[in-house]
Amino acid sequence: MFSRRLRTALENRIKEQFMQLTSSPILGYIVPFLPYQARHNSYMLPQQPAVQPEQDGFAVPPEALWLGYGATPEVYLESGKRNIALMQQALAATGWALEAGDRVLDFGCGAGRMTRWLADQAADCEIWGTDISAEHITWCQQHLTPPLHFMTTTTLPHLPFEDHSCALIYAGSVFSHLDDLADAWFLELRRIARPGGRLYITIMDQTTIEILARAEWKSFWLAWYLLTNPEYHTFTKQKYGKFTIGRALRAQVFYDRNYLAQKLARWFIVHSVLPESYGFQTALILEKRVTG
């Protein structure tokens, strides 16, 4: 039988080891997305007071959840509305549109910046958002549900949806931060994609590199971060297929878009490759390639 002092010491040591594990450079980027934050042993979800809705009928998330999309609530909201509109136009150009009963997945939804602008489809379609940030998802569940649906997922390439169940999957600025597991995530999205449906994926590519080198982008944090990085200059001068500056959640991933399109053609029909369709990112419109 342990003495109370020894038991307390053992419990404290286990807690210390767990906290070291979650902050380690190898595993730390997987574990922190246990709700809420890994450094807290316990958490509580408060009941949210009523808030004044914005023009789309929903509240605006706090600025800490904007992920850099705009300096004001108006700019933040407009950016999501614009990205949804451009995506819908691009999808329509491939002869595709949502139908009643379809399931839509916003993969990497943040605080629902784009998802919220699909609320008008929620009466007929099932609209989902997923993200590895429990803080963002919790806000969405408290303020955008109903009519939209949200869940926290992990950095491991698995989503809790059935095979062939999603008519539309879109991922804005997600594969621009996936390094080693990008292929696994493409295949996981392919698994849940419905035959005949669409995937709308954005990437950073050679056009992104050209844009960030322009004088007017000099003060943008990403341009500064990349242009002061010696490896970035080395990689961009070579005939690259893909490179990353930083790793895991800090990764800034770039593709040659032709290289990526050719690679994905094994798994998808590539309908469109559209530079500057998502700010300085290029959009690819894909359809699941059915074999066998």
Side-chain angles (χ1 to χ4, degrees):
M1 179 68 68
F2 292 127
S3 68
R4 178 176 297 178
R5 179 178 297 179
L6 179 57
R7 186 170 62 249
T8 300
L10 287 172
E11 289 174 351
N12 290 336
R13 182 56 180 159
I14 290 171
K15 290 179 181 178
E16 289 176 5
Q17 290 179 338
F18 176 77
M19 297 310 296
Q20 290 173 2
L21 174 67
T22 61
S23 62
S24 74
I26 297 175
L27 297 179
Y29 70 96
I30 296 177
V31 181
F33 298 102
L34 299 173
Y36 249 174
Q37 297 175 20
R39 65 177 178 270
H40 297 307
N41 294 325
S42 306
Y43 74 92
M44 179 194 72
L45 299 181
Q47 295 185 14
Q48 293 297 106
V51 293
Q52 185 66 33
E54 288 294 322
Q55 54 180 306
D56 61 348
F58 296 118
V60 179
E63 186 175 357
L65 301 183
W66 290 359
L67 297 173
Y69 288 98
T72 67
E74 293 76 18
V75 173
Y76 171 82
L77 292 174
E78 184 58 32
S79 71
K81 184 178 183 179
R82 181 176 64 255
N83 286 152
I84 284 289
L86 290 173
M87 178 182 72
Q88 290 173 326
Q89 293 171 16
L91 292 169
T94 71
W96 189 89
L98 276 177
E99 297 178 355
D102 283 347
R103 175 184 286 165
V104 178
L105 172 61
D106 184 341
F107 176 59
C109 65
R113 183 183 64 92
M114 293 176 66
T115 331
R116 64 194 294 149
W117 296 105
L118 292 175
D120 60 344
Q121 305 282 342
D124 299 315
C125 299
E126 190 177 304
I127 314 296
W128 280 91
T130 64
D131 203 285
I132 60 174
S133 170
E135 187 174 8
H136 285 81
I137 291 297
T138 299
W139 188 91
C140 290
Q141 290 173 336
Q142 291 179 326
H143 296 281
L144 305 181
T145 301
L148 308 172
H149 310 276
F150 298 91
M151 76 174 83
T152 305
T153 52
T154 74
T155 57
L156 300 178
H158 171 73
L159 293 168
F161 295 106
E162 306 93 332
D163 296 355
H164 321 302
S165 62
C166 294
L168 172 62
I169 302 169
Y170 64 92
S173 194
V174 176
F175 283 88
S176 51
H177 305 294
L178 291 176
D179 49 11
D180 293 355
L181 293 179
D183 288 350
W185 274 114
F186 274 121
L187 289 170
E188 176 63 3
L189 296 186
R190 180 181 182 275
R191 179 186 68 80
I192 67 173
R194 189 188 71 189
R198 293 291 186 271
L199 295 87
Y200 182 89
I201 309 294
T202 76
I203 59 168
M204 295 194 290
D205 64 355
Q206 55 265 48
T207 297
T208 307
I209 292 170
E210 294 171 3
I211 292 173
L212 293 179
R214 296 172 186 169
E216 61 266 29
W217 284 86
K218 183 170 56 176
S219 60
F220 182 54
W221 75 268
L222 181 58
W224 177 87
Y225 171 69
L226 294 171
L227 295 175
T228 57
N229 187 299
E231 289 183 318
Y232 178 76
H233 293 283
T234 299
F235 294 153
T236 56
K237 291 176 182 177
Q238 299 182 42
K239 190 174 181 180
Y240 62 87
K242 169 185 176 179
F243 69 86
T244 176
I245 302 298
R247 300 301 304 280
L249 297 182
R250 299 180 180 87
Q252 302 294 331
V253 180
F254 291 80
Y255 289 93
D256 176 276
R257 58 176 173 265
N258 297 319
Y259 163 87
L260 180 60
Q262 291 172 8
K263 180 177 182 177
L264 293 178
R266 295 174 290 174
W267 308 321
F268 301 95
I269 299 168
V270 181
H271 283 282
S272 305
V273 179
L274 307 167
E276 295 186 70
S277 290
Y278 188 91
F280 51 68
Q281 296 194 26
T282 290
L284 289 82
I285 299 180
L286 310 173
E287 178 183 346
K288 178 178 188 169
R289 188 178 292 281
V290 179
T291 58

